[in-house]
Amino acid sequence: MNCALPKEVKSKVGEKVGLPCCHEIPSSESLRNYRVYWQKNTKEVVLAYSEGEKISDHDQYTNRTELDSKNLTLWISPVEILDNGTYQCVVQHLRFSHDFSPRVVCDAPVSLSVTADFSEPNITSNVINTTCESTEMVVTCSSHGGFPKPKISGVFNNGSLVWNTTWVSESSLSPYNVTGKLHLNVTKDVNLTCSVEYNGFVKSTSLLLTKTNDCIAPTMPPSYNVITATSIIFIIFLLAITLAARYFPRHACFHCSKNQDSMEEDEKESMKPPMICKMTSETSSL
């Protein structure tokens, strides 16, 4: 009996995964009536059974595989990066062939996509030049230990970024280390987000990029209006001083001369002889 197969089965390193076969043994029969081959890349025999007995397994999968005796699912545990690839389930029936030769009842591929998580991205920034208007810096984002080959993306000032990306891996089926670099001109404090995307998963980290300001803005010269107003105030001040210098001496001398005249009159009065009252005889007789 044939059944629909998923085009791809996904699993993470360390998990247990089942790869479905294209045939399921009827309840009236047993595994003894079949020969089952699970192959990888059409040439490596991962696990094989004939007449209910295991006849072969690959060194890479020793003690990590088992076969379901009814639906012929291949179970792998724990999953490794090297398990990534295309598998094929080949099923032969041994009992109902007219010439007693095995009859192929199923032959279909299934893909296993293995994922290993990357580390949280690490973002660093290095200032290489600064002006009053902006700060030029090199930003580096890195992550390691994941699979498959990732993509680095990012957001800066609400816009996407194009990173200069490099990858390091021993082989196509080994963990990857990834590094992305950017040259940016920062005109204000702003957040930058770096994301590592792999096999439908995303790891992201953000960093606040700070604009340095180690320069002093030039002093602006006073405006024309300020100069005019200052000049008018200064002229008024000089006029006030001049008028005060002319007015106050005269006013003081006026009071001085008045006081002097008063003193001379008092002195003349003091020099006058005293008045003597003379009574006539006529008056005294009265």
Side-chain angles (χ1 to χ4, degrees):
M1 180 177 65
N2 292 331
C3 58
L5 285 176
K7 293 182 179 180
E8 184 180 54
V9 176
K10 293 184 178 183
S11 181
K12 284 190 174 184
V13 169
E15 295 180 345
K16 182 177 182 178
V17 65
L19 303 181
C21 186
C22 50
H23 184 79
E24 184 173 339
I25 297 176
S27 57
S28 59
E29 295 188 78
S30 69
L31 188 58
R32 292 184 176 275
N33 298 331
Y34 293 86
R35 185 178 296 157
V36 181
Y37 296 94
W38 269 103
Q39 301 174 163
K40 183 181 181 184
N41 300 326
T42 68
K43 51 187 177 181
E44 297 177 7
V45 177
V46 176
L47 186 63
Y49 273 77
S50 180
E51 297 182 344
E53 300 292 333
K54 183 167 68 173
I55 59 174
S56 177
D57 63 355
H58 195 282
D59 292 343
Q60 178 186 330
Y61 297 91
T62 300
N63 299 324
R64 292 198 305 118
T65 58
E66 57 181 299
L67 183 71
D68 187 290
S69 60
K70 283 298 181 182
N71 60 23
L72 307 181
T73 295
L74 174 65
W75 290 97
I76 304 174
S77 177
V79 172
E80 300 175 356
I81 292 178
L82 289 174
D83 298 335
N84 189 83
T86 301
Y87 294 75
Q88 195 166 15
C89 182
V90 180
V91 181
Q92 298 175 340
H93 200 289
L94 301 177
R95 303 297 181 188
F96 298 102
S97 176
H98 296 292
D99 57 2
F100 299 101
S101 62
R103 177 171 61 91
V104 176
V105 295
C106 170
D107 183 354
V110 58
S111 175
L112 174 59
S113 179
V114 178
T115 300
D117 282 332
F118 280 84
S119 63
E120 294 292 333
N122 180 45
I123 308 176
T124 59
S125 61
N126 181 32
V127 175
I128 58 177
N129 189 30
T130 183
T131 65
C132 291
E133 292 77 21
S134 66
T135 299
E136 184 181 359
M137 59 180 65
V138 175
V139 179
T140 303
C141 178
S142 60
S143 182
H144 62 273
F147 186 88
K149 186 178 181 179
K151 172 186 174 183
I152 288 187
S153 62
V155 177
F156 175 74
N157 274 341
N158 297 321
S160 59
L161 296 170
V162 178
W163 296 80
N164 182 13
T165 309
T166 56
W167 298 266
V168 176
S169 179
E170 293 181 359
S171 70
S172 61
L173 289 177
S174 298
Y176 283 87
N177 297 336
V178 61
T179 301
K181 288 189 176 182
L182 289 171
H183 279 80
L184 296 175
N185 281 318
V186 178
T187 58
K188 62 180 180 179
D189 294 354
V190 64
N191 274 314
L192 178 142
T193 299
C194 174
S195 300
V196 178
E197 303 174 12
Y198 55 102
N199 212 13
F201 298 93
V202 179
K203 289 285 185 72
S204 298
T205 301
S206 295
L207 177 68
L208 178 63
L209 301 180
T210 303
K211 176 186 177 296
T212 59
N213 188 13
D214 58 355
C215 59
I216 300 175
T219 303
M220 295 297 293
S223 66
Y224 174 78
N225 291 335
V226 172
I227 295 174
T228 302
T230 303
S231 300
I232 292 172
I233 293 172
F234 182 70
I235 292 171
I236 292 173
F237 177 72
L238 290 178
L239 289 174
I241 292 176
T242 303
L243 292 174
R246 292 183 179 181
Y247 171 75
F248 282 108
R250 292 183 179 180
H251 189 68
C253 290
F254 172 75
H255 285 286
C256 290
S257 60
K258 188 175 182 180
N259 291 337
Q260 186 175 1
D261 292 342
S262 177
M263 290 175 63
E264 289 177 354
E265 288 180 1
D266 291 342
E267 185 176 354
K268 288 180 180 180
E269 288 294 330
S270 65
M271 296 295 291
K272 288 181 179 181
M275 294 181 66
I276 302 175
C277 295
K278 294 184 179 180
M279 297 180 64
T280 64
S281 60
E282 295 178 347
T283 305
S284 61
S285 62
L286 293 175

